[in-house]
Amino acid sequence: MRPLPEPIEALVARLVRLPGIGRRSAQRLAFHLAREKPDELAGLARAIEALPRELQTCTRCGNLAAGELCAICSDPRRDESVICVVEQPENVAAIERSGAFRGVYHVLGGAISPLRSVGPDDLRIDGLLERVAAGGVEEVILATNPTVEGEATALYIARQLRDRPVRVTRPATGIPVGGDLEYVDEATLSRALAARRGVLDED
Amino acid sequence: MIATVETRAFRNLRDAVVELEARLVVVEGDNAQGKTALLEAAYLAATTRSFRTRDPRDAIAHGAATTIVRALVRGASDSEIELEIRLGRDRGTRAFFVGKSPVKLPEYLGLVPALALAGDSVRAMKGSPAERRRFMDRAAAAARPGHIRDLGDYRRALGHRNRLLRDGAPDRALAPWDEILARTGEAIRSRRRRELASWQHEIGAWPELFPEGAAARLAYRQSAEGPLADALQASRADDRRLRQTTVGPHRDDLAVELEGVDLLRFGSAGQVRAALAALTLAQLRAIRAQRADSEPLLILDDVDTDLDGGRQQALLEAATREAQTLASTTEPGLASSLAPLRLRVAGGAVGRVG
Ligand SMILES: [Zn+2]
């Protein structure tokens, strides 16, 4: 039994696939959109359609970009001697909101997860190693998510960087375990970044 | 102390408010009449869990969508709080209330610390190392909230490592998982050992119940000696062949040794139940030492199973000194010398005896 008109039902079926959207929220959004003016809807549709066409992956760091390089990689004021490694572009956005970091990023595109068949080769780890090998990098901050998969990814990268002349650090605790960098408040994130420590330190 | 328990659509119990305000409540009744359900409801209100099934939603009555259990808890100086838990059949529809206000699970847990010794726990503990590990982990988790998180992280990392072993992945792929297993595994072991040490201290305290207690030695048996990081390294070849991780806290065990023989595995049913009862009493003492403000609840389901009259009496006497005790039995007139509040359950209806 489907009491909703077919166009609304079709939209709801799409919306419920989005993160954090249940059937109830999807219906609310669909009914809201049904009341909008056609111009407004066309604008929304154009913005969505433009994503795959105009959005690129930064060739240097893996962040989302409007051109070949992302806004951060093309900003000459950023400190290229410090690279902050994160899992996803939304993690970059979260750290940028905190304003606590003036270096550059490297976006892996996920975390190592054998149970989901994601290995080191499925992430942008080689690209990171190449950036470090090219020189000029003094510190790599491994700011993967505080999950076991994020921790394993950080440990794996730390081992790969062990013989390179760079300091390898991880943000201090304070980020809730099992959480996601994206949802950490900005003050906590600033504190965790400021109090980072060496991954291979023995203490 | 739990003064009343009220249930709605809970197993076969009739919806009612049941008075429980006594140090010892003996619940009589034939099998399948609902006496265990009454104990389960009290335990659920205290812990949000069931001692009978993994999924407490199994307790929702047939044909009902939701069950509600309320407990009125009377504290020191006559302060009162009302706890309420609602469980819906659909996943995720659980709600907890303290004094009518909705609260999150961590705020709800621990207001009434509770332990249960069920009728079938002897069989479970004798036959299953996993059950013996759960026994330690329940206690460790009650003492330190971080234990649950480490167990979860450990299990996830173990799943990833076992997958890599099955896939024949190289050592460099295993290394980070070994490191995480070592960190969380050592934390799990040290909390379990801490629980054992505190039980060892008390286990001889009830000679009429558990005469072997004075000589018994609680042993934490590791699947491999030495630090876990070294053991994981050393077992890699074996693990690759067997395609699974063979060392770590998921393979460790608890033993109650008497002259080198493990009572839990090789003792009589009576000895095992007495040992379990003594371990449970020891846990209650540890809880009371930490939490002077709250009175623990002890559930003794089918208290007469495997224990002779003298030991039953000793257990109930000791239990009422450590906790508010709810005991179920099929024997009418049990523990008359302790003057318990006596209830009888028949066909889901609870009545007072005498
Ligand atoms: Zn970039």
Side-chain angles (χ1 to χ4, degrees):
Chain A
M1 187 187 66
R2 284 281 151 111
L4 300 178
E6 171 53 29
I8 293 275
E9 195 57 66
L11 182 55
V12 166
R14 297 271 168 192
L15 289 171
V16 291
R17 295 190 206 165
L18 299 174
I21 305 285
R23 212 180 143 75
R24 197 185 296 183
S25 314
Q27 283 189 13
R28 198 166 57 234
L29 286 170
F31 281 113
H32 175 85
L33 291 170
R35 284 191 295 272
E36 286 286 345
K37 294 202 176 71
D39 278 2
E40 194 63 34
L41 293 178
L44 179 62
R46 274 197 306 276
I48 292 172
E49 275 172 358
L51 287 177
R53 202 171 55 237
E54 290 174 18
L55 209 53
Q56 298 180 32
T57 302
C58 175
T59 52
R60 187 176 298 163
C61 76
N63 193 10
L64 291 176
E68 197 188 331
L69 289 182
C70 72
I72 292 159
C73 287
S74 44
D75 181 347
R77 289 162 302 176
R78 303 295 295 221
D79 177 0
E80 292 187 14
S81 73
V82 186
I83 299 180
C84 182
V85 178
V86 296
E87 292 182 19
Q88 299 291 359
E90 47 265 48
N91 303 139
V92 172
I95 296 174
E96 286 299 293
R97 273 199 306 274
S98 80
F101 183 64
R102 296 302 302 156
V104 293
Y105 293 92
H106 195 84
V107 182
L108 296 170
I112 296 175
S113 177
L115 286 172
R116 290 185 179 176
S117 301
V118 180
D121 298 342
D122 301 307
L123 307 173
R124 288 185 203 94
I125 293 178
D126 285 345
L128 173 67
L129 301 179
E130 282 163 23
R131 286 176 80 184
V132 172
V137 179
E138 287 163 19
E139 181 178 0
V140 173
I141 305 170
L142 298 171
T144 48
N145 286 336
T147 57
V148 288
E149 292 80 11
E151 186 184 347
T153 307
L155 290 168
Y156 180 87
I157 295 172
R159 280 166 188 269
Q160 304 300 304
L161 291 172
R162 188 182 281 173
D163 300 324
R164 305 289 174 85
V166 289
R167 203 163 108 77
V168 180
T169 59
R170 186 138 167 79
T173 47
I175 297 176
V177 174
D180 189 311
L181 274 189
E182 194 191 343
Y183 301 110
V184 176
D185 73 82
E186 284 129 39
T188 307
L189 206 49
S190 311
R191 273 198 305 278
L193 273 174
R196 60 193 187 257
R197 47 191 283 177
V199 173
L200 300 174
D201 292 354
E202 285 304 311
D203 54 334
Chain B
M1 172 175 305
I2 294 185
T4 64
V5 163
E6 178 180 1
T7 60
R8 294 268 173 87
F10 191 88
R11 293 212 188 255
N12 65 335
L13 290 178
R14 294 213 191 132
D15 294 356
V17 179
V18 179
E19 306 242 355
L20 297 175
E21 196 160 9
R23 292 295 299 172
L24 175 61
V25 181
V26 172
V27 184
E28 302 173 358
D30 295 331
N31 287 322
Q33 297 301 305
K35 60 183 191 314
T36 299
L38 178 60
L39 270 54
E40 186 184 21
Y43 187 80
L44 181 80
T47 64
T48 78
R49 302 166 81 99
S50 166
F51 60 85
R52 298 170 78 180
T53 60
R54 295 213 139 226
D55 188 346
R57 290 176 301 174
D58 294 347
I60 301 170
H62 285 294
T66 308
T67 184
I68 301 176
V69 178
R70 281 192 201 103
L72 186 66
V73 181
R74 195 137 22 234
S77 66
D78 271 357
S79 64
E80 274 182 6
I81 43 168
E82 189 191 79
L83 304 182
E84 177 178 325
I85 175 166
R86 294 178 187 212
L87 300 176
R89 233 175 246 293
D90 296 334
R91 192 162 281 285
T93 51
R94 294 198 305 177
F96 314 104
F97 303 83
V98 176
K100 309 272 185 213
S101 311
V103 295
K104 292 214 162 69
L105 183 60
E107 298 165 60
Y108 186 94
L109 285 177
L111 291 169
V112 181
L115 296 176
L117 194 59
D120 57 4
S121 53
V122 166
R123 199 166 36 88
M125 285 285 277
K126 262 181 100 85
S128 158
E131 194 61 39
R132 295 191 285 271
R133 286 190 288 272
R134 268 196 288 277
F135 188 83
M136 294 188 278
D137 286 330
R138 269 195 296 269
R144 322 253 155 185
H147 195 67
I148 305 257
R149 194 185 64 215
D150 281 336
L151 282 173
D153 284 356
Y154 182 85
R155 276 194 210 109
R156 259 169 92 177
L158 191 66
H160 286 307
R161 187 181 194 264
N162 287 344
R163 177 60 176 272
L164 291 172
L165 290 169
R166 283 198 292 280
D167 294 348
D171 279 355
R172 72 186 166 90
L174 289 177
W177 300 107
D178 285 11
E179 217 169 307
I180 294 171
L181 287 174
R183 175 178 67 75
T184 52
E186 294 292 3
I188 291 166
R189 281 179 169 172
S190 95
R191 288 196 209 96
R192 287 178 181 171
R193 284 181 190 284
R194 200 173 357 217
E195 291 305 308
L196 258 61
S198 84
W199 302 342
Q200 179 72 65
H201 210 66
E202 305 283 357
I203 194 161
W206 300 279
E208 298 85 15
L209 167 66
F210 185 45
E212 298 90 341
R217 198 180 72 87
L218 295 181
Y220 187 74
R221 293 189 174 163
Q222 280 192 197
S223 37
E225 292 310 312
L228 185 52
D230 298 347
L232 284 166
Q233 184 85 33
S235 69
R236 262 189 198 172
D238 283 346
D239 288 359
R240 282 189 187 286
R241 195 164 39 79
L242 296 165
R243 299 151 74 86
Q244 58 177 310
T245 304
T246 56
V247 296
H250 67 294
R251 291 290 184 93
D252 294 350
D253 206 346
L254 160 71
V256 178
E257 291 176 351
L258 204 63
E259 288 166 0
V261 177
D262 181 13
L263 262 184
L264 292 183
R265 279 182 297 169
F266 302 111
S268 69
Q271 279 178 318
V272 175
R273 177 161 292 272
L276 277 181
L279 287 176
T280 305
L281 292 169
Q283 285 183 51
L284 287 171
R285 281 203 175 168
I287 290 168
R288 289 203 312 152
Q290 280 179 349
R291 305 270 317 269
D293 56 324
S294 58
E295 163 120 65
L297 171 71
L298 174 62
I299 303 292
L300 297 172
D301 190 27
D302 288 332
V303 66
D304 36 15
T305 315
D306 304 325
L307 289 183
D308 59 40
R311 285 185 171 197
Q312 281 171 38
Q313 181 78 13
L315 170 55
L316 288 167
E317 274 175 23
T320 50
R321 280 197 299 273
E322 307 297 339
Q324 179 185 18
T325 303
L326 266 63
S328 74
T329 178
T330 49
E331 278 177 46
L334 182 85
S336 347
S337 66
L338 297 171
L341 168 62
R342 202 177 288 280
L343 303 175
R344 182 159 186 86
V345 185
V350 184
R352 222 165 150 146
V353 179

